[in-house]
Every structure is written in C-alpha cells, then in structure tokens.
Amino acid sequence: MKFTRANIYGFGKWVDKEIIFNENELNVIYGENESGKTTLQKFIMFILFGQTAKEQVAHQPIESSKFGGILTFLDANNQEVSVERTKEQLTIYSPTETSNEEKVLTTYLNGLTKQTFMSIYSFSAVDLLQIRDITEQEFGNILFNVGLAGATNIEIAERNIERETGKLFKKTGRIPTLNKQLTKLEELVSIEQKLKKQESYYAEMKEKQKSKKVRLQNLIKKIKATRIEADFISKQRHLLPAINELKSTKEELQKFPETLDFPEAGIKRLEKYKESLIPLLSNQASIEKNMLNYKEELEKLEKSILSKEMYDLASNLQKDRNNYEHYLVESEELTRTLEKTANEIELGLNDLAIPLNIESFKVLSLPYYLAKTWKSIEEEALQLSQIRKEIESEQLMLENELEMIETETNQLKHKLLALEELDKLKEQLINYTQSTKQTTQFNEHKINQSAKKKIVQGGLGVVTLLVILFFITTSSLFIYSSIGIAIIIASLYYLVNYFEKKNEQLIHSLVANQSSSLTKDEYIKIKKQVEKQDDYYMQLKFLENEKQKITREQLQINERSEMFKQRESIFNERVLDERKEYDFLNNIDPIHWTELLTILKQLKEKETYLTEKELKNIQVNEILNAYEQRLSNILNNLSIMNYEQLVAHIEAHKKADQLISNYKEIIAKLRDEKSLLDEEINYYQAEIRALFKLASVENEEAYIEKYYKSEEKNRLNEQLSSYYSQLETSFDLATIKQLLQKNQDDYDLDQKNNELKIEITQYDQEIEEVRTELATLEAELSQMEETEEYSNVFHKVTHKKARAKELAFEWAAMKLATDTLEATKRSFHQKYMKDVIKKASTYFKIITKSKYIAIYPPEKGKPFSVETNIHTRFVIDQLSQGTIDQLYVSLRIAISSVMSEKYSVPFLIDDAFVHFDHKREKAIMLLLKEITKEQQVILFTCKKHLLELTDGKVLDLTNQ
C-alpha cells in the first residue's frame, strides 16, 4: 500500500485541503509547531481505522460543519483505491466494486490493526525515551506483539489465566477454591463413614422401586419406537409424489439400451478437431510453395562463389592483415621508442634532483626487499598523519558539541519560568478542576432539593388529612396518634428548611467562587504552557547526560594522543636508519621513498629494455616482407590491382555463402514443419475416426443422431439422481428400494398414521400411571428412612467430589494454556529476533558511518549494548543521547522492514531526530531514501534544514 493523495473535507484545522504524496520517493512534510502535522497524521489514522464519537468531537473544525475526507492509495496490484470516511459512514471505491463494509478495508490492510500500525510503522521523538529501560522479556514481548495479530488480547488472557489459576489452587494455600473444596470433602467423607448404616430393612421397597423404573423405561422405549414409526409414515406421505416420479423415470429409462456408447463431450471434440484441421491444411500448401522458391534461389547462388582453394588463400591473407598493420605500427613505434628510451635514461637521473650521478647509479644496488621496507615506512607515515588528523578532528568536534550543548542549555534556561510562577499555574489548573467538580455537585443538589420539596409537600398533605380527621372522629387513640405524627412531620419540615438554607448559602458561595475561576480556553492554554515547561526540564536532563558522555570521550581521546606520540618516536628512529644506508634520502619525505624507488628501478630496467627493442625491430621487419610477398602472388592470380579489391571479392563470397547456408537451413526447417504438420493432420483425422468408432457409427450424420439419444438418456439419469437425492435426505437406499416395490396411496398412509397416534396416546396414559405409582413408592421409602442426614451427607460428598474434579480439570486446562502461551512467545521471539537485530545492526552501521558495527539485544538483566569498529562494547547508558536515538531509530526501521512481507503500508516518522547532529541527520536521510525503494516513507518535521537533504516530495505546511 502506497498513499497517493489525501482530500480533507474537514478535520481539526484542515478544511477543503488536498495533499499529494509521491509513492516512489521520500515524502517530507515540513511545518512549525501548531502547523497541523499531528492533525494530518491523525486524519490518516481516522480514515484507515476510524474514531470514537468523543475523538471525532475533538477534531471537528471550529469554522466548518464538514468532517472527514478521502485517502487514496495503490494496492498490492498497483491499482488505485479510495477510502472515504465521514461521521456517518465509510465508502471504499476500487476498480472492481464500491463497498461500505469495514471488512473490505481490513482486507486491503491484511488484518492490520491500529495498535499494530502505531507500534510498527509510526513513531516520534517521545518514543525514543523507551529504549533505555527495555529488558530481555519486554523486547521479546515487543517482537511477539509485532509478529502476531491480537497479541495484546493474548497478553491480557495470559495475565487473567495466571490470576485465575492462583485463585483455584496453590500447593500451600488455604484460600484458593480447590484447596477449600478438598478440605471440605475430607470433612464430609469422615462424617459419611460415621453415619453409614445398614439399610437392608427397606431393600424390598427398593426392589419394587427398581421394578417400576424398569417398567417405565420399557414403556418409554415403546412409545419412542412408535413415534419413530409415525414419523416414518409422515415422511413417506410427504414424499409420496417424489417416489411415484422416481418410478416413472425408471420405467422411461428401461426403454433405452442398457449401454449407449458415445464419447464424453463428443460433439465439442468433433467440432474442435474439424476447426483445428482447416488452418493445418492451409499451412501445408503454403510450406510446399515456399520450399520450391528457396530451391531455385539456392542453385543461382552456388554458381556465383569463388573456388575453395582461392577463397582459403585470400581468407588467410585477410586474417593476417590486422597482424601486418599491427607490425607496421609496431615498427614505427619501435623506432621512436629506441630514440626516446636513450634520451629518457640520460634525462631521468637529471630530473630526480638528488645527489646521484650516472657513475654512482650504475653501481647502486636496489635489493628486492627494499620495496617492502620503504612501503611499510610510507604506510606508517600515512597512518600517523591520518591518526593525528582524526585526534585533532575529534577533539574539535567534541568541543563544538560541548559548545552546542551549552548554547541549548542556556536557551532552555531562558525559556523556563520561575518555580513560583509555575506553581501558581499548576494551582490554577487544580482550582479549575475542583471548580468543575463543585459545579457538578451543585447540579446534583438542585435535583435532590426538588425531590425533598415533593416529600415535604406530601408530609404537609398528610398533616392536613390528620387535622380533618381530628375534627370528625371521636376516638382518643386516633387523636393522640394524629397529634404525635403532626408534631414529627412539623419537626422534620423545620429541619429540612434549616439545612436547605445552609445549603443555599454554600451554593451561593460555590457560584461566587466559580464565577471568578478560569474559562475552559484559559485552562487549556495554561495546561499546554505547563506541559511545555515539563518538556523543557526533560530536555535539560537529556543535555546534562550528553555533556557527561562527551567528557568521558575527551578523556579517551587524550589517552589515544599519548599512545600516538610514543608510536611516532619509534617511527623516526626507523627513518634515520634508512637515511644512513642511502644518503640521497636525507632531504626526501618518507612518503615519497616508494615512488623514488620505483623510478630508479625503471631507469635500471630501461638499459635492458633498449637492447630488447633493437632485436624486436629486426624480427618485425622480416614478418612485414613475407606478408607483402604473399599479397603480390594472390593479386596476380585474381588479376586485381590492390588489397581493397581483394577484400571486396572476399565479402561478396561470404554474403553469397551465408545466403546459401540460410536457404539450406530454411529448406530444412520447412521440411521439418511439413513433417510435423503431416503428423498433426494425421492425428486429428485419426481422432475423428476414433470418435466414430467409439460411437459405433460410420459417418458424421449417424454420429450426431446418436449424440441426441445419449443426451436424452443422461437427462433421465440426472432426473433419477435428483429424486434419489431428495429421498435420501429422509431414507436410506435400502428403505427407498422397499418403498419403490410397494404400491401405496394417500388413504392407506393416513389410516396407518391415525392408528399410530391412538397407540401413542395409550402409551402416554400408561406411562403417567407408572410414574404416579413410582412417586407414591418413593414417598413411602422416604418415610421409612430413620434420618435424612446420611442421604444429605452422601449427596454432599458426591457433589463435592464432582465439583473438586471439575475444578481440578479447570486448573489443569489453565496450566496447559499458560505453558502453550509461553511456548508460543518463545517461538515468535526466536523467529523475529535474529532478523530484526541483523537488519538493525546494518542500519545502525550506516547511520553512524561505520563507527558502530553491531547491536546486541538485552539479556540476563542487561540492557541493549553496541559494538564499535574497534570491537569495543558499550551498554546503552554509556552512549550519547544522539547515539541512543540512532539505535532506537534503527530498531524501529528494522522491525518495519521485517514485517513488510506481512503488512505493506507506509512508514510514518514524526520528528524522531531531535538529538541528531548534521552528520547523523544526513546519514539517516540517505537511509530513508534507500528504504523508500521498497516501502513508502512519510517524514513529519519542524527542522527546515532537513529539506536541503532530500530531493523527494516536500510539503510545506507553514502559513497554510
């Protein structure tokens, strides 16, 4: 999936905005803070995964009623798909269909969820803080979450299983359910053994009870069998038309021969063979005509070529022509070289400008090992020079970094508010929160006050009723009771009014305080300001850590400088020894010694070279004379003037000879094609004859007539099979066969069905009678028992054993689930760990310019560690913040790359290079460009200078 454009109807600050993405290059979206970068990312998440109603309210444009938009992307087949999402609905437009279902979008995302997308393909500067504290188990869980869709639910299930397992059983516990169940079971078994008595005195009644139960079971079996028979008759009655149709079809089939031979798809095959024969016969005639034309041309060409003997002599001479011309050039070159070499030997010594004349040069010895000795001195000199530059460069770079850190620290300190002022802002936020809570309480109080008023009004109504009754009744008890109730209600009314006045005073106080509190906009503004101050304090802490890291690096560089001085002293002693042996080296830098030695050896070689060239010149002249004699003889034999005419004769011969060869090949190919066509024509003719033979006919007309008969028989067979299929849903084949042999009508089946219904009614009455007798017998047995305690204990023991067995099975199932989940996590850990670390190490090496060459994951309580190019390892706390960020970025990109086979979606990065210097930024931008070849990358940044490092798609959100 690669995004191509986004059309925003309305989302946050964006209204009627179109954004174009480049699917093949790095997309950089630049904008200052509050310019809408984060809103654009959330819009993409909204289109792909939707939002809750509350989230939609937060992103509703203030000045527009529009909401939603369209996101267009290229799918796996490079076809354009548009996803439109508004508050009300989702619409997906593809080249093949239009859909409103989420599952269609999920198919394009290959099952990718929002959580998985955010954990793999999107990260920001805030995420960079996580890597310091990642343990081995947590890193394994990260890989597990990446490699398995729904891993979050699996982790929740794992925790729930562990908690529920602990609730069920512990080896030394008393509280878990299974432990309690086992304790109670032991107690009940002990009681059961004490209460168990002989119960032989009611064995006879028990036997009667058993007999009645057997009788009841037999009756139930009979009524069940009768009902099955009634059901069979009903099915037979229902399917009687199908049975009759089946009989009729079988009778029609009997009219046809038992075997009616006709090839499968016989008509189609015949037509296919006939269609194939027509072009083959046409091609056969065309090939025969072409073969005749090519044979005539071949005869003409064979008469126009040279004889073989003359062609061989001329051809050999032409082959040697290049050598002849080469020797001509070589002869001229040798003459010039002889003169030049003599001058070079004389001038070479003069040009060296060293205290070495011709006489001393002739006696100068240059042994074979001298080149290796001087080369090692030259390499040592270059290495020392390079090391000196590196030490000075690193010292300067660290000083610059310290200066930058100091500058950033001072800038952050100027941005910090005084602690008193910050505390006041936080206090205002707390007061606003409390004020909001009090407002809620005030609204609740209003509701309660209304309810209380209704209660008081009801009480006053009761008092009024009592007063009326007081005047119309003569009962003294009622009078005194009415007076007491009236006094109580009046007291309650007084207390309610008293507390209402107090509450009203408190409410007025709350309202007054609320009127002086912050507005919602002011609250949001102060909250953002406090969050920004907290961010400044965090950045100061990071800068202090990096400053300490740089100080440690300066100490390491000073140690390297001391070792360099010792090495340089040893090198100077070696140079002095060589200058004593060869005094002409005194004023020459060691880095030029190897070059000087090469020149001296070249001058030595030129003495021998001059003699060799003189002998070579004599040999070349002899070869030239021999070639010119051969050329003269051939020109005379062919009666031509020069070599150019000879070349023309040879070329004409070659062209004619090539045409002869081509025509022969073409004739051979045509002959082969004709042979193949003949075979193919014979094949189709034989196939047609075979079809007639299979159908036992002699010609095409009889063949077609037999086809129609075969089709009719097949139709009847299909109809027969359809009726069998319809009947097999209710009967087996043996039953169907029996039904076909019977001649039954509707009346007989209805009569039989009514008889079975009467029989079922009789069985129902008899079963009810047996059940009544059995209930009476069981009541008598219950009265005969001395006590129910044994039965109750026996029942409890049975129940507790069954419950304990269920709990034990449940505990074992949970343990098995826990072990399975652990094995699954280990498997995914091993599957993805190797690939992720390998790719991350490659990316980390690129970003750090090969300063670090390997990454090692956390293990045995240790955090991430890295290895330098000199094979020194550092744990993550020993690295600078910039290097830690580089490590995190490498890991995130590696995880995305590993998962790209499963999910192919764009990679979103939001200002993740906060602590990168210019060199590191340049390296990461080059890496992102390389990744873009395989996966679309969209970088959101507020750093304007990053735009200079990209030649891809750049979108500037400033002032939009």
Side-chain angles (χ1 to χ4, degrees), residues 518-696:
L518 298 172
T519 65
K520 186 174 181 180
D521 291 339
E522 291 173 340
Y523 168 78
I524 293 172
K525 183 177 180 181
I526 292 173
K527 185 178 179 182
K528 288 182 178 180
Q529 188 176 5
V530 170
E531 290 174 350
K532 189 175 290 186
Q533 289 294 315
D534 292 339
D535 186 53
Y536 290 156
Y537 278 111
M538 187 177 294
Q539 292 182 33
L540 279 173
K541 184 178 179 181
F542 290 154
L543 290 173
E544 185 61 31
N545 291 336
E546 191 164 357
K547 185 177 180 181
Q548 294 176 1
K549 301 284 176 54
I550 292 173
T551 303
R552 288 196 294 268
E553 290 180 7
Q554 284 180 327
L555 292 174
Q556 294 175 356
I557 291 173
N558 292 336
E559 292 177 359
R560 288 176 57 195
S561 179
E562 290 299 323
M563 294 175 64
F564 169 74
K565 291 178 181 178
Q566 295 176 4
R567 181 176 172 183
E568 191 175 36
S569 176
I570 296 171
F571 171 74
N572 291 333
E573 291 179 0
R574 288 184 63 193
V575 171
L576 184 60
D577 292 340
E578 290 298 320
R579 283 175 173 164
K580 288 179 181 178
E581 180 70 21
Y582 302 97
D583 54 359
F584 57 85
L585 297 175
N586 287 329
N587 296 323
I588 301 175
D589 193 305
I591 63 175
H592 302 303
W593 287 5
T594 304
E595 183 180 357
L596 175 62
L597 180 62
T598 302
I599 295 171
L600 291 174
K601 286 187 175 181
Q602 290 174 353
L603 292 174
K604 279 285 186 183
E605 291 171 355
K606 285 181 179 180
E607 292 179 347
T608 306
Y609 178 76
L610 187 62
T611 304
E612 292 176 353
K613 290 299 179 182
E614 289 175 347
L615 293 174
K616 182 67 175 177
N617 194 27
I618 295 171
Q619 295 173 357
V620 168
N621 288 328
E622 291 176 353
I623 294 171
L624 291 173
N625 293 332
Y627 179 84
E628 290 171 355
Q629 183 61 40
R630 289 168 57 202
L631 176 61
S632 177
N633 293 335
I634 292 173
L635 292 177
N636 292 332
N637 289 330
L638 294 177
S639 300
I640 54 179
M641 299 299 295
N642 51 41
Y643 175 76
E644 286 72 17
Q645 293 178 355
L646 176 63
V647 171
H649 274 68
I650 294 172
E651 290 300 320
H653 177 89
K654 286 181 178 178
K655 290 179 181 179
D657 190 59
Q658 182 64 39
L659 284 173
I660 290 170
S661 177
N662 291 341
Y663 286 161
K664 287 180 178 179
E665 290 179 2
I666 291 170
I667 291 169
K669 287 181 180 178
L670 289 173
R671 189 179 293 111
D672 292 340
E673 288 180 14
K674 184 177 181 302
S675 176
L676 291 173
L677 279 173
D678 292 341
E679 291 178 4
E680 200 168 355
I681 289 169
N682 293 334
Y683 164 76
Y684 286 120
Q685 291 174 344
E687 288 294 321
I688 291 173
R689 289 193 297 273
L691 287 176
F692 291 165
K693 185 176 181 181
L694 287 173
S696 301

Side-chain angles (χ1 to χ4, degrees), residues 915-932:
H915 301 288
F916 283 27
D917 56 26
H918 183 70
K919 185 188 299 182
R920 291 165 174 166
E921 288 175 341
K922 186 175 181 181
I924 188 64
M925 293 298 287
L926 290 174
L927 178 60
L928 292 180
K929 290 177 186 177
E930 190 66 24
I931 293 172
T932 305

Side-chain angles (χ1 to χ4, degrees), residues 682-724:
N682 293 334
Y683 164 76
Y684 286 120
Q685 291 174 344
E687 288 294 321
I688 291 173
R689 289 193 297 273
L691 287 176
F692 291 165
K693 185 176 181 181
L694 287 173
S696 301
V697 297
E698 296 295 332
N699 52 48
E700 186 176 346
E701 182 179 354
Y703 182 81
I704 293 172
E705 182 180 353
K706 196 163 189 179
Y707 161 72
Y708 287 117
K709 289 183 180 180
S710 174
E711 285 295 304
E712 178 63 17
K713 184 178 180 181
N714 290 337
R715 184 188 68 78
L716 291 173
N717 281 325
E718 289 177 1
Q719 186 173 329
L720 187 71
S721 177
S722 174
Y723 288 134
Y724 269 114

Side-chain angles (χ1 to χ4, degrees), residues 720-931:
L720 187 71
S721 177
S722 174
Y723 288 134
Y724 269 114
S725 298
Q726 185 178 353
L727 293 174
E728 283 174 355
T729 58
S730 300
F731 308 114
D732 55 30
L733 289 175
T735 304
I736 294 171
K737 187 174 182 181
Q738 293 175 1
L739 292 175
L740 291 174
Q741 294 173 356
K742 295 179 180 179
N743 291 319
Q744 300 187 81
D745 56 17
D746 297 347
Y747 176 80
D748 293 337
L749 293 174
D750 291 339
Q751 186 69 23
K752 181 65 175 176
N753 195 24
N754 292 333
E755 292 174 359
L756 290 173
K757 286 181 179 179
I758 294 171
E759 189 175 348
I760 289 169
T761 303
Q762 293 174 352
Y763 281 135
D764 279 334
Q765 292 175 355
E766 191 173 353
I767 287 170
E768 188 63 29
E769 291 174 0
V770 173
R771 283 176 175 167
T772 302
E773 294 174 0
L774 186 61
T776 304
L777 188 60
E778 287 176 349
E780 292 177 2
L781 283 170
S782 178
Q783 292 177 359
M784 290 174 64
E785 294 176 351
E786 291 182 348
T787 177
E788 293 182 354
E789 186 175 2
Y790 173 72
S791 298
N792 292 335
V793 170
F794 179 77
H795 173 72
K796 288 180 180 179
V797 169
T798 304
H799 176 71
K800 293 295 182 184
K801 284 181 178 179
R803 179 58 181 158
K805 186 176 181 181
E806 291 176 1
L807 291 172
F809 181 78
E810 186 177 349
W811 179 83
M814 289 183 179
K815 286 294 291 179
L816 178 61
T818 302
D819 296 340
T820 303
L821 284 174
E822 285 296 326
T824 302
K825 290 172 70 176
R826 286 194 300 271
S827 175
F828 271 86
H829 187 181
Q830 295 171 358
K831 177 181 178 181
Y832 287 101
M833 173 70 80
K834 185 177 180 180
D835 293 341
V836 168
I837 293 301
K838 182 178 179 181
K839 284 185 176 291
S841 297
T842 302
Y843 296 153
F844 192 48
K845 182 177 180 181
I846 294 171
I847 297 175
T848 60
K849 299 291 186 179
S850 299
K851 183 176 181 180
Y852 296 94
I853 60 175
I855 299 173
Y856 298 93
E859 58 181 8
K860 299 179 180 179
K862 296 181 180 179
F864 274 99
S865 61
V866 297
E867 183 177 343
T868 66
N869 54 6
I870 58 173
H871 305 294
T872 302
R873 288 197 185 184
F874 294 101
V875 298
I876 194 168
D877 288 334
Q878 296 175 319
L879 304 175
S880 66
Q881 185 60 45
T883 305
I884 294 173
D885 290 353
Q886 289 175 311
L887 173 59
Y888 184 81
V889 169
S890 301
L891 285 169
R892 287 305 299 267
I893 295 175
I895 291 174
S896 171
S897 179
V898 169
M899 293 308 298
S900 62
E901 295 180 2
K902 184 175 183 180
Y903 308 114
S904 179
V905 295
F907 196 27
L908 307 183
I909 306 174
D910 186 5
D911 262 339
F913 315 132
V914 175
H915 301 288
F916 283 27
D917 56 26
H918 183 70
K919 185 188 299 182
R920 291 165 174 166
E921 288 175 341
K922 186 175 181 181
I924 188 64
M925 293 298 287
L926 290 174
L927 178 60
L928 292 180
K929 290 177 186 177
E930 190 66 24
I931 293 172

Side-chain angles (χ1 to χ4, degrees), residues 218-235:
N218 291 333
L219 288 171
I220 291 172
K221 288 179 180 178
K222 288 181 179 180
I223 195 172
K224 185 176 180 181
T226 306
R227 283 174 176 161
I228 290 172
E229 185 179 358
D231 181 61
F232 177 78
I233 296 298
S234 296
K235 289 180 180 178

Side-chain angles (χ1 to χ4, degrees), residues 371-397:
K372 184 176 181 181
T373 302
W374 289 6
K375 182 65 177 177
S376 66
I377 292 173
E378 178 188 350
E379 291 174 351
E380 182 75 6
L382 291 172
Q383 289 178 5
L384 290 173
S385 176
Q386 181 65 26
I387 293 171
R388 185 186 296 106
K389 290 178 181 178
E390 288 178 357
I391 291 173
E392 292 172 354
S393 175
E394 290 181 9
Q395 287 175 339
L396 180 61
M397 183 182 69

